[in-house]
């Protein structure tokens, strides 16, 4: 059996702790090292020179598309522009996922986008159900909806215990971005 024949499961990385996107990027490295092609579409993230975006331009077989506005989304005050960016991201997810070009497909911050009502859980499930048979999918982000957890094959919850932010240490280039 080839590496690609064994693919097709759904992973969920959720929880209030750090490391969901980071874990998906670790899986990306493993997949690329085994000759697989990888795409990542990021909800609510804008190209601000993040390490993963810069690196994606240097790696063969890795496509990363940030789909968001420069400012962080306030879940209590979501703008029409943020809803439009999320809708465009969902269209991009479906287009790339259904292309059949990718063996591993990461939908970064999808859980948060669903939990905040930026995109529909039902639409996401429909897209996941229609994906090519041997495409492995990862959904990251806090507050994974129960319907997504139900259909997933892997669910990992990152739990907050301690963070340098509590000491006033902000996001550091190369570590958090």
């Amino acid at each position: 059996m080839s590496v690609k024949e064994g693919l097709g499961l759904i992973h969920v990385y959720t929880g209030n702790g750090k490391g969901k996107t980071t874990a998906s990027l670790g899986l990306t490295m493993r997949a690329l090292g085994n000759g697989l092609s990888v795409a990542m579409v990021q909800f609510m993230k804008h190209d601000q020179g993040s390490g993963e975006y810069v690196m994606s331009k240097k790696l063969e077989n890795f496509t990363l598309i940030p789909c968001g506005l420069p400012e962080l989304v306030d879940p209590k005050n979501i703008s029409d522009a943020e809803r439009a960016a999320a809708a465009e991201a969902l269209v991009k997810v479906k287009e790339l996922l259904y292309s059949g070009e990718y063996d591993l497909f990461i939908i970064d911050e999808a859980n948060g986008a669903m939990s905040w009502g930026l995109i529909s859980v039902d639409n996401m499930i429909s897209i996941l159900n229609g994906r090519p048979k041997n495409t492995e999918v990862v959904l990251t982000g806090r507050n994974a909806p129960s319907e997504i957890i139900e259909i997933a094959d892997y669910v990992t919850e990152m739990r907050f215990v301690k963070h340098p932010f509590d000491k006033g240490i902000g996001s550091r280039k190369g570590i958090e971005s």
Side-chain angles (χ1 to χ4, degrees), residues 56-71:
S56 73
K57 300 300 177 203
K58 298 176 183 180
L59 293 172
E60 287 186 39
N61 299 318
F62 181 35
T63 300
L64 189 153
I65 301 173
C67 298
L69 305 177
E71 59 277 346

Side-chain angles (χ1 to χ4, degrees), residues 12-15 111-112 114-115 141-149 155:
V12 171
Y13 301 155
T14 193
N111 297 326
M114 287 182 281
S115 74
R142 294 173 183 236
N143 305 315
S146 59
E147 300 92 334
I148 296 295
I149 289 172
V155 177

Side-chain angles (χ1 to χ4, degrees), residues 3 19 28 60 68 84 100-101 103 110 114 124-125 127 129 144 171 176:
V3 173
T28 294
E60 287 186 39
E101 293 179 37
D103 304 305
M114 287 182 281
M124 181 60 75
I125 290 172
I127 289 170
N129 287 338
S171 178
E176 287 88 16

Side-chain angles (χ1 to χ4, degrees), residues 87-164:
E88 288 176 28
L90 194 61
V91 167
K92 186 57 82 176
V93 164
K94 187 173 182 180
E95 172 189 322
L96 293 176
L97 181 57
Y98 284 27
S99 74
E101 293 179 37
Y102 303 101
D103 304 305
L104 174 62
F105 199 93
I106 300 164
I107 312 171
D108 191 37
E109 301 298 348
N111 297 326
M114 287 182 281
S115 74
W116 293 347
L118 286 167
I119 59 173
S120 156
V121 174
D122 290 339
N123 284 348
M124 181 60 75
I125 290 172
S126 176
I127 289 170
L128 293 173
N129 287 338
R131 75 188 186 282
K133 179 183 172 199
N134 291 333
T135 303
E136 199 89 357
V137 176
V138 178
L139 295 98
T140 73
R142 294 173 183 236
N143 305 315
S146 59
E147 300 92 334
I148 296 295
I149 289 172
E150 181 65 31
I151 66 166
D153 300 289
Y154 295 89
V155 177
T156 300
E157 183 174 358
M158 276 67 164
R159 184 175 62 88
F160 174 83
V161 175
K162 189 176 182 180
H163 196 287

